[in-house]
Amino acid sequence: MKKMLVLLSLALATPASAATLTVWSHFTDAAEVSWLRAQADAYTKSTGNKVTIVSLPLDQIPDKLIQAAPKGQGPDMVVTLPQDRLGQLSSAGVVEPMDRYVVSKTDLDRTAVQAMTYKGKLFGLPMFAESVALIYNKKLVPRAPTTWNEFLGAAQKNTGNGRFGFLVDLTNAYANYGFFSAYGSYIFKNNGGTLNVSDVGIANAGAARALALMNDLRFKYGLIPEGVSADAAKSAFVDGRLAMVVTGPWDMGDIRKAGIDYGITTIPTPPGATGRWSPFVGVQGVVINAYSRNKAAAAQFARALATSPAQLAFNQAGGRIPVSLAARTRLKADPVVTGFSRAISAGTPMPNVPEMGAVWGPWGSAVAQSVQKASPNYATILAAALKEIKGNIK
């Protein structure tokens, strides 16, 4: 009788319907891979559900998910996917809306939540984010400029004799989107969280003002020579020859190794702008396969990965910028987290609709053309880009 009771108690302790989750992940950094494995082990210990992690290149995951999911061959969840593929995946019906699985979003950066929301539905729990920001060398610029005049003055003061005050790749539309947003330009009009792809704002008066400002940085103020690439700007900064640069978290490892005493801030509001400098924000989050037979278990694991302790550990593993506000508070002594978090919170999510693919080429060409010579006809350049974009969307 005693033996039967022991066997019964053991049976009750083991979940009767324990699931085995298949997780696709693109992580290649050894520390981040170990972090995910540790999170999976902790989840298994607390729930009894097993986790199998399959490594795949990030650029292959969306298409493989679209092909495999309807056949019942895909993963239960993906850790992680960028928001710019959400529209495509949602339209294909392979990602599960997560609103009913998420009780509260108060600990998550609003910009990050917005990035993972498509047509009013949350399709992924945000895990980390990135944007560009203004990185300054404290030896040359002792404190962060808070006005445009302070920024311009610091840039001009440090330009000359082999040094540069401010550099950015002026031909890079992504890196310079903050100027467009400041002047009221936009890619697609945001109507209460839903992007209207029929309302394209890259050719309005604000866009022309943004291009004029960028043109002035080269031709009026003589700050940015022709041909400056992102790599050239970073090289000058790590060499100590550049006072201020626009870049993202991906360059901070080299800047730290160079021993530069740096600060991270946002670019002050440009002259005459109606809004603040608001850079593009890229977010990656956990998504659930709409065809999964283990959605509740997958959602439970997804919520565990998005908690502040998990995001704190993830940052310590690979340096990613967390979207958990509590994790950021715990990391407030880290200048990279604090600086880029400020830029991310002030930023604009990159559009997550498939139509964004029709924008990059024409818009990027218009930006590059607008900084090739002094004071070109911005309206004409932008109108041509807008026509091409609308034709591509159709």
Side-chain angles (χ1 to χ4, degrees):
M1 182 68 178
K2 185 181 291 185
K3 185 176 181 180
M4 289 182 63
L5 289 173
V6 171
L7 290 173
L8 179 60
S9 64
L10 287 174
L12 292 174
T14 302
S17 57
T20 297
L21 297 179
T22 298
V23 175
W24 283 2
S25 174
H26 62 86
F27 298 157
T28 56
D29 179 84
E32 292 186 344
V33 172
S34 295
W35 169 85
L36 182 57
R37 184 69 265 168
Q39 296 296 316
D41 290 344
Y43 169 75
T44 297
K45 185 177 181 180
S46 65
T47 66
N49 297 326
K50 297 180 180 179
V51 179
T52 299
I53 300 172
V54 179
S55 179
L56 286 172
L58 176 58
D59 60 353
Q60 294 182 16
I61 291 179
D63 291 337
K64 284 184 179 292
L65 182 61
I66 290 173
Q67 294 164 8
K71 302 175 184 177
Q73 300 172 349
D76 293 290
M77 55 194 291
V78 179
V79 182
T80 54
L81 279 178
Q83 94 263 22
D84 62 352
R85 301 303 293 266
L86 280 186
Q88 174 196 18
L89 296 171
S90 174
S91 298
V94 297
V95 285
E96 176 78 0
M98 298 185 68
D99 300 272
R100 69 190 182 103
Y101 301 107
V102 180
V103 177
S104 175
K105 307 170 194 170
T106 56
D107 184 48
L108 299 174
D109 185 292
R110 290 183 180 180
T111 302
V113 172
Q114 184 182 353
M116 301 303 292
T117 301
Y118 178 72
K119 292 187 176 180
K121 295 180 179 180
L122 183 70
F123 279 99
L125 269 181
M127 278 282 300
F128 59 90
E130 63 183 21
S131 73
V132 297
L134 182 69
I135 320 299
Y136 60 98
N137 184 332
K138 291 185 177 180
K139 182 178 179 181
L140 304 176
V141 182
R143 64 182 184 85
T146 58
T147 68
W148 183 260
N149 285 339
E150 286 181 2
F151 164 76
L152 189 60
Q156 291 174 318
K157 178 182 178 181
N158 285 285
T159 298
N161 299 318
R163 292 197 316 194
F164 302 93
F166 172 68
L167 292 179
V168 65
D169 180 356
L170 286 175
T171 68
N172 188 317
Y174 164 82
N176 293 289
Y177 177 77
F179 292 125
F180 286 84
S181 60
Y183 285 109
S185 179
Y186 52 88
I187 304 298
F188 301 116
K189 190 69 173 180
N190 190 327
N191 295 322
T194 297
L195 299 178
N196 181 0
V197 298
S198 297
D199 187 346
V200 183
I202 64 106
N204 63 14
R209 293 197 66 178
L211 290 177
L213 178 74
M214 293 163 60
N215 189 278
D216 282 347
L217 291 174
R218 170 166 291 164
F219 294 101
K220 181 178 179 179
Y221 301 112
L223 296 175
I224 306 174
E226 186 175 357
V228 170
S229 65
D231 286 342
K234 181 183 78 169
S235 178
F237 193 82
V238 299
D239 287 345
R241 297 181 292 111
L242 172 60
M244 298 179 288
V245 65
V246 170
T247 191
W250 49 85
D251 278 339
M252 295 313 300
D254 290 335
I255 290 172
R256 279 173 155 168
K257 288 178 184 176
I260 302 294
D261 184 13
Y262 63 87
I264 304 174
T265 188
T266 54
I267 292 181
T269 301
T274 56
R276 61 185 179 181
W277 183 82
S278 179
F280 264 153
V281 176
V283 179
Q284 291 199 30
V286 182
V287 302
I288 296 175
N289 181 351
Y291 290 87
S292 169
R293 296 179 181 178
N294 303 305
K295 292 177 186 175
Q300 188 179 20
F301 188 33
R303 289 196 302 269
L305 294 176
T307 61
S308 58
Q311 289 200 17
L312 178 64
F314 189 50
N315 167 268
Q316 293 170 338
R320 308 274 192 173
I321 310 300
V323 297
S324 160
L325 302 182
R328 288 180 180 177
T329 299
R330 292 282 302 275
L331 293 165
K332 62 183 179 181
D334 185 331
V336 173
V337 171
T338 301
F340 282 108
S341 293
R342 189 180 302 115
I344 289 164
S345 295
T348 301
M350 256 192 317
N352 57 16
V353 293
E355 289 82 359
M356 188 61 191
V359 174
W360 286 116
W363 182 46
S365 295
V367 170
Q369 186 180 350
S370 296
V371 294
Q372 287 178 354
K373 64 179 182 179
S375 303
N377 190 319
Y378 306 112
T380 299
I381 293 172
L382 290 169
L386 179 61
K387 182 178 179 180
E388 186 177 352
I389 289 169
K390 288 187 172 181
N392 290 345
I393 291 176
K394 288 182 180 179

